[in-house]
Amino acid sequence: EILFQAIAGAAVNRNGDFNPQDTANTVWAFACIGWKQSDLFTLLGSALLERLGMLGNTERSQLYVVTVYFQIEWPHLEFPLSAHVQSLRSAFTRQEPTPSRFQREVSTMLERLGWSHTFEYETADGFSLDLAQPETKRAIEVDVEIRPLVVVSHTGDTILSSFAVSHKHRNLRRTPTLAF
């Protein structure tokens, strides 16, 4: 956490030195680790307002994840990019899922065991769940490494976790929920 405190401080102090891509990557990285200080998101989001047109689909997709994260963590606050959520979501959903061979093998194995599911199910928020049973509100994410992880709890809530450090889903932090 000390490292991220130092990076956050540098991001705030040197924000004017960042190009739009650097700013988008930085704010996305802090969403991925589950940063709990809204001021960093507000500052970096505000810095991007006038420069959104300079960003490609990858960065706009990342900013959609940041916007959703901000709305979950601080529903009483307005994220500076909230007015652009539809265009950011469009960039996010434009990216095609890229299932791995391992994901396909897990899917096949689960089908053989009788766990029928939808492969690459898309939630209302545009998140793709690797293997989902929408009717039972259960899902499994398979090869998650360094990207926001979408998992569905036994209660049926879609959970956007802070960060997944390995495909074994270790070291996950407290998770806010979205409707699935």
Side-chain angles (χ1 to χ4, degrees):
E1 187 161 326
I2 294 171
L3 173 64
F4 284 104
Q5 287 282 359
I7 294 170
V12 168
N13 293 334
R14 300 193 56 203
N15 182 42
D17 298 340
F18 289 1
N19 66 41
Q21 182 179 355
D22 292 340
T23 305
N25 289 338
T26 301
V27 73
W28 176 76
F30 277 95
C32 287
I33 65 160
W35 194 250
K36 301 298 180 201
Q37 297 173 16
S38 64
D39 55 337
L40 176 73
F41 294 97
T42 301
L43 175 76
L44 296 179
S46 296
L48 287 166
L49 268 175
E50 301 295 321
R51 304 169 359 171
L52 278 178
M54 300 170 73
L55 296 174
N57 280 334
T58 299
E59 293 82 16
R60 295 172 72 79
S61 175
Q62 290 172 331
L63 291 175
Y64 175 68
V65 172
V66 173
T67 303
V68 170
Y69 176 76
F70 191 93
Q71 291 170 343
I72 292 169
E73 286 296 316
W74 302 284
H76 59 286
L77 298 177
E78 172 114 7
F79 185 56
L81 301 176
S82 292
H84 302 277
V85 71
Q86 290 306 321
S87 68
L88 300 175
R89 184 181 190 280
S90 176
F92 182 82
T93 58
R94 197 173 297 135
Q95 294 184 337
E96 291 294 319
T98 54
S100 69
R101 186 172 130 218
F102 179 65
Q103 179 183 336
R104 291 180 193 286
E105 290 170 355
V106 168
S107 176
T108 300
M109 182 216 38
L110 289 172
E111 286 286 348
R112 287 181 186 153
L113 291 172
W115 197 74
S116 62
H117 56 275
T118 303
F119 192 78
E120 293 296 341
Y121 176 81
E122 186 175 320
T123 69
D125 292 304
F127 291 97
S128 176
L129 302 175
D130 290 351
L131 315 170
Q133 287 182 328
E135 62 283 352
T136 64
K137 303 291 187 183
R138 292 191 174 124
I140 298 172
E141 277 296 296
V142 180
D143 322 286
V144 178
E145 291 193 30
I146 304 178
R147 64 179 171 110
L149 165 67
V150 177
V151 178
V152 179
S153 74
H154 69 283
T155 62
D157 293 329
T158 300
I159 302 170
L160 177 65
S161 92
S162 302
F163 185 62
V165 295
S166 75
H167 73 279
K168 294 180 183 175
H169 306 276
R170 292 191 180 137
N171 301 325
L172 296 180
R173 299 179 180 205
R174 179 181 64 81
T175 56
T177 61
L178 295 164
F180 168 34

